[in-house]
Amino acid sequence: MAAAFGLLTTGVLWPAPSAGASAASGDGDGVQIRRTQYGVPHIVARDFKSLGYGYGYAFAQDNLCDLADTVLTLRGERSRYFGGQGEPRDGGDGPGEDIPYNLASDTYYKAQRKTGTVRKLLAQPAPLGPGHELRDMVRGYAEGYNRYLRDTGVDKLPDARCKGKPWVRPVTAEDLWHLVYDLNAASGAAPYAAAIGAAEPSSAPAAAPKSASRSGPASNGWALGREALRAGAGNAMVLANPHLPWLGNSRFYQVQLTIPGTLDVTGGSLQGTPMVEIGHNSTLAWTHTASDAQHSSLYRLELTPDDPTSYVVDGRSERMTRTSVDVVVRGEDGGTKTVRRTVYGTRFGAVVNFGWTDRSAYALRDANESNLRSMNTWLAMATSRNLGELRAAQDSTQGIPWTYTLAADTSGETYFTDSSAVPHLTAAQLKSCTLPGGEEAPDALDGSRTDCAWGRDPDAVVPGIYGPARQPELSRGDFVANSNNGPQYTNPAEQITGIPPVYDVGPRLDLRARLGLRMIDERGKGTDGLGAPGFTPRNLTQSMSGDRVLSAETGLDDVLALCRNQPELVASDGKKVDVRAACAALARWDRRAHADSRGGALWISFYGRLLEERPAAWHKVPYDPEAPLTTPRGIKGESPQVQRALADTVQEFAAESVQVSAPTGALQKWAGVPLPGCDGSEGCFNVLEAGPDSGTGEPPRGAFGSSFLMAVTLTDDGPRASTLLTYGQSSNPSSPHYTDQTRLFSQGRWVRERYTEQEILGDPHLEVTHLSP
């Protein structure tokens, strides 16, 4: 392919259009969108604004409906078009009894706009506000998205979900910055948007968790150093396996972003954001997993007598702030009305609808309340050449919102850190300030005392969070690994201790974390059936796609022994159930959660039911804090809990006409494609939760779990990677890229990444679009 502009400083060719190229209107001298197999865009531009322009245009081609829907939410306008009801999105909490969800959500986001939270952050220079490169990139992204929308026309959009809809409108750069801000709050205020928007004195409470921390985003991440690799396999490797919803604004989009001589990064980018969050450049690779640290704090407020909108701190009364907004709500008759709503604030954050009586209320403070600097961090990481520069990038900006970082570079070293925004709460504060809840009330900090407020570190970028010197970190030549467990067992050979307890709220390892460490250990010994010791690019992907199930590896033999002794078991309803066929299916099962592993569905359903038994007295070997990597394990076949769970599962399968030998993928599908994996609590490393018809219907049902997979090897000759975007590049059900990679995921197959110019231009599926901003 001939070069139109010649060879630039980094060796990037600007090719003339190939026979399969397409062209948007314009002279094509500004931006190139070069799509390789499976629709992956490789965007090349001369500056950041043009790069953003190409990215926004490419993303709109695949996912315009999703971004339009997200922006509608962030503008607080769902009620205007869909009525005040609606349902929680992306697993968020409901606002409370008899309170319309859309109305409560719109209240929160309109109040955020009115107070100018994002505008105030944008007014600050870097690092507190975005750097000028990112401001240019976001402006370009909005313009590129709008260009596609304008050229195509709302009435001619290819996605029926938003074709011709009045809520599909151009976006602004500020809309995108609101999106970034909301993603940063995903482990803090954002899941409680409706509960904040619904909070009123004497309002019916929403169901509140026992703490402000949420389970939600999850992941597996490995960084493997030279010592963990087989000789000749490379210098280092990184495995990325984030677990996120398959619908909504937590979807990844795979992209390569290139400005010759300035930037060349590839990987997964959360939709609507301008930068790669998980990925690699030529010498450095990184991934993230959801941090186990607290990223928000719930405070219980002591209210002033006779005034439920004032609270007492150190004996003195303070008035809550009030932000009143008007929300337009569509009625069933198609007409609209305007509703006045109020969001209440305190020094401890916004008031949340977790019960607001005449005596007490609750407020939630988010450690990312002033974080619009995350993109500064990811851009600095993308241009870092080694681990030292990555660490400096994170320390100087502190923009990583709620994840751990695991990284490696071509030196063969690995690095782990929790550089996320974590409230500055000491062990003494947690001990003296925590007010225990009850059946109806959550645990919370004492909001009547200033000594229970967040402290500050001199090296922290903003007040209220811990600075880099107090953050957990570890550098190793063999490996660092995390599966959403606390930092302590990042590498069991060198445990991380002595950190503030707010960083490690759940030190006990679950089955998924234990399995991940076991997989690394067995690969080091060569005892996992994947050949001689040490990681290679091939066995790294094989490990990820092996679909091992630790609960079966440590407990299935016990259940089979039960089967031999008792062919009939008593179910919860008192009926006797013949379990012989079920036991035969389990005996033949390969103990994997492959989509086609027959018997896998039965085990996963049985073990999931067993986990609901409280207390869990069915472990053969109970948890031992002195042996956290191997306990608890085994299943007591004589336990009534175990026998009842198996009988109930067999009974349920019969009632639903599901064969006991059904494969894993029979009960979880995406648009008809059988899916591998299971819940991490059931011992799956490859996490996947979906219904039997996820991804079909209108609206489609959700799924959660493995999303963007990346297995990259760093070598002296450059990176070599395999990737997989489990739900494909497009959320449009009519797109060829809606399930093309899902089918690969179902079969345990990966996509060879194309990163270098030679790899991209050599792709027989290459299509090039030229744009002129």
Side-chain angles (χ1 to χ4, degrees):
M1 183 175 290
F5 304 112
L7 190 64
L8 301 181
T9 55
T10 61
V12 174
L13 287 168
W14 288 65
S18 67
S22 61
S25 58
D27 59 21
D29 290 349
V31 185
Q32 288 189 6
I33 302 171
R34 308 185 295 184
R35 288 187 183 267
T36 53
Q37 191 176 20
Y38 301 104
V40 177
H42 307 258
I43 302 167
V44 184
R46 296 184 182 278
D47 55 52
F48 280 94
K49 186 176 182 183
S50 299
L51 187 65
Y53 190 90
Y55 191 4
Y57 188 94
F59 186 83
Q61 288 179 303
D62 293 319
N63 299 292
L64 184 141
C65 290
D66 289 79
L67 188 53
D69 184 76
T70 297
V71 169
L72 186 71
T73 299
L74 298 174
R75 288 175 174 172
E77 295 183 345
R78 299 201 71 80
S79 299
R80 177 191 292 269
Y81 296 97
F82 303 117
Q85 295 298 325
E87 295 189 6
R89 298 154 52 78
D90 290 345
D93 287 320
E97 184 179 349
D98 298 328
I99 300 174
Y101 181 85
N102 282 348
L103 178 58
S105 172
D106 288 345
T107 300
Y108 170 82
Y109 286 110
K110 277 192 170 292
Q112 190 179 90
R113 295 257 179 171
K114 185 173 182 178
T115 57
T117 302
V118 171
R119 288 194 301 273
K120 291 172 185 176
L121 292 172
L122 284 171
Q124 299 186 67
L128 300 183
H132 65 86
E133 299 97 339
L134 286 162
R135 294 174 191 266
D136 287 346
M137 196 169 182
V138 169
R139 280 194 294 268
Y141 192 113
E143 292 175 9
Y145 173 96
N146 294 338
R147 163 77 175 279
Y148 174 79
L149 179 61
R150 181 176 67 250
D151 289 354
T152 306
V154 175
D155 293 335
K156 295 182 179 180
L157 290 173
D159 192 337
R161 296 176 302 160
C162 66
K163 179 180 180 180
K165 302 299 184 183
W167 47 269
V168 179
R169 293 173 291 168
V171 302
T172 66
E174 186 174 322
D175 287 329
L176 298 178
W177 285 119
H178 272 274
L179 183 150
V180 169
Y181 184 81
D182 200 59
L183 284 171
N184 290 346
S187 191
Y192 302 108
I196 293 171
E200 295 178 339
S202 302
S203 56
K210 291 297 290 180
S211 73
S213 297
R214 286 180 56 85
S215 61
S219 302
N220 299 310
W222 295 350
L224 306 167
R226 191 186 301 272
E227 296 172 16
L229 273 54
R230 191 179 297 172
N235 299 339
M237 297 178 181
V238 168
L239 174 67
N241 175 215
H243 306 149
L244 289 167
W246 283 28
L247 293 172
N249 65 347
S250 294
R251 279 176 60 104
F252 277 104
Y253 187 73
Q254 188 173 353
V255 67
Q256 183 172 358
L257 302 173
T258 304
I259 300 175
T262 300
L263 176 71
D264 195 9
V265 62
T266 187
S269 174
L270 290 172
Q271 75 163 27
T273 65
M275 188 47 57
V276 166
E277 282 88 24
I278 291 177
H280 70 85
N281 56 33
S282 61
T283 60
L284 177 72
W286 67 90
T287 187
H288 299 289
T289 65
S291 164
D292 195 50
Q294 295 178 11
H295 296 100
S296 60
S297 297
L298 190 65
Y299 282 89
R300 188 184 304 171
L301 308 174
E302 178 186 331
L303 301 182
T304 303
D306 303 321
D307 183 2
T309 61
S310 295
Y311 58 105
V312 178
V313 182
D314 292 342
R316 301 182 64 178
S317 179
E318 293 186 12
R319 291 278 294 173
M320 295 179 183
T321 61
R322 302 184 186 204
T323 304
S324 296
V325 296
D326 292 329
V327 180
V328 178
V329 182
R330 179 179 180 176
E332 293 183 2
D333 60 356
T336 61
K337 65 178 179 179
T338 300
V339 178
R340 172 60 62 95
R341 302 282 300 172
T342 300
V343 169
Y344 296 86
T346 73
R347 66 161 67 190
F348 299 108
V351 179
V352 192
N353 190 34
F354 290 167
W356 189 342
T357 70
D358 58 355
R359 299 181 60 185
S360 65
Y362 292 89
L364 181 72
R365 186 177 181 191
D366 188 347
N368 286 290
E369 62 192 1
S370 62
N371 188 0
L372 202 64
R373 57 192 183 274
S374 58
M375 294 301 132
N376 291 337
T377 305
W378 274 304
L379 176 57
M381 290 169 58
T383 57
S384 295
R385 294 164 295 182
N386 53 53
L387 293 174
E389 292 183 4
L390 177 143
R391 178 177 177 179
Q394 293 193 345
D395 289 354
S396 62
T397 57
Q398 284 197 273
I400 299 297
W402 39 264
T403 62
Y404 298 129
T405 300
L406 300 97
D409 64 15
T410 50
S411 74
E413 291 296 307
T414 68
Y415 178 63
F416 164 89
T417 186
D418 187 348
S419 64
S420 62
V422 175
H424 192 294
L425 290 167
T426 65
Q429 283 180 297
L430 292 174
K431 181 177 181 180
S432 67
C433 294
T434 300
L435 302 174
E439 292 185 4
E440 301 295 332
D443 296 347
L445 298 175
D446 191 344
S448 69
R449 298 161 47 190
T450 55
D451 62 346
C452 293
W454 296 353
R456 65 180 303 167
D457 273 348
D459 60 338
V461 172
V462 294
I465 64 174
Y466 277 108
R470 303 290 295 276
Q471 296 167 350
E473 61 181 19
L474 181 64
S475 297
R476 296 280 301 185
D478 51 359
F479 74 88
V480 292
N482 186 266
S483 292
N484 308 120
N485 46 298
Q488 184 175 358
Y489 295 104
T490 298
N491 186 310
E494 188 178 353
Q495 296 182 27
I496 300 175
T497 59
I499 57 177
V502 71
Y503 277 101
D504 199 359
V505 298
R508 179 169 167 173
L509 298 176
D510 67 6
L511 282 178
R512 176 165 58 92
R514 287 167 49 196
L515 176 57
L517 292 172
R518 174 185 284 205
M519 290 163 64
I520 294 173
D521 180 65
E522 292 178 354
R523 182 82 299 272
K525 297 174 180 175
T527 57
D528 58 358
L530 297 178
F535 280 96
T536 65
R538 177 173 174 77
N539 65 43
L540 178 59
T541 58
Q542 289 176 323
S543 295
M544 177 64 238
S545 299
D547 293 322
R548 291 175 60 174
V549 185
L550 186 58
S551 62
E553 293 181 12
T554 61
L556 178 55
D557 288 342
D558 297 327
V559 174
L560 294 178
L562 163 66
C563 291
R564 289 191 292 270
N565 296 327
Q566 294 181 251
E568 285 189 335
L569 299 174
V570 179
S572 296
D573 60 6
K575 295 180 180 178
K576 289 186 176 181
V577 178
D578 188 332
V579 297
R580 285 175 295 182
C583 292
L586 290 176
R588 293 190 297 268
W589 177 42
D590 61 8
R591 308 190 186 206
R592 305 275 175 155
H594 297 315
D596 59 356
S597 291
R598 303 193 67 84
L602 180 67
W603 178 267
I604 291 167
S605 298
F606 156 69
Y607 199 82
R609 188 183 298 272
L610 194 57
L611 289 173
E612 296 174 0
E613 296 283 350
R614 294 291 184 271
W618 45 267
H619 287 298
K620 179 178 288 187
V621 179
Y623 174 68
D624 181 356
E626 298 299 318
L629 301 180
T630 57
T631 61
R633 68 178 182 273
I635 296 175
K636 289 182 180 178
E638 67 274 16
S639 167
Q641 294 175 314
V642 174
Q643 298 180 14
R644 183 170 57 247
L646 183 56
D648 288 351
T649 302
V650 173
Q651 201 174 53
E652 179 187 25
F653 272 47
E656 297 183 0
S657 300
V658 178
Q659 293 182 346
V660 291
S661 60
T664 307
L667 298 185
Q668 52 186 33
K669 296 181 180 180
W670 181 257
V673 180
L675 301 176
C678 69
D679 188 274
S681 62
E682 294 156 3
C684 274
F685 189 73
N686 179 20
V687 169
L688 204 292
E689 303 171 45
D693 59 351
S694 296
T696 60
E698 185 61 41
R701 296 186 181 181
F704 174 93
S706 292
S707 50
F708 175 63
L709 302 180
M710 179 184 75
V712 58
T713 300
L714 299 172
T715 77
D716 292 333
D717 297 322
R720 302 288 182 268
S722 296
T723 64
L724 190 71
L725 193 61
T726 57
Y727 35 65
Q729 286 288 96
S730 178
S731 61
N732 176 6
S734 65
S735 168
H737 303 306
Y738 182 59
T739 58
D740 53 353
Q741 294 192 66
T742 311
R743 292 190 290 273
L744 298 180
F745 180 54
S746 178
Q747 301 164 15
R749 296 167 58 194
W750 294 62
V751 176
R752 180 171 68 87
E753 180 192 83
R754 296 184 180 272
Y755 176 72
T756 67
E757 199 69 6
Q758 181 179 7
E759 291 168 338
I760 295 168
L761 300 185
D763 189 325
H765 303 88
L766 181 67
E767 294 184 357
V768 182
T769 298
H770 295 267
L771 293 174
S772 226

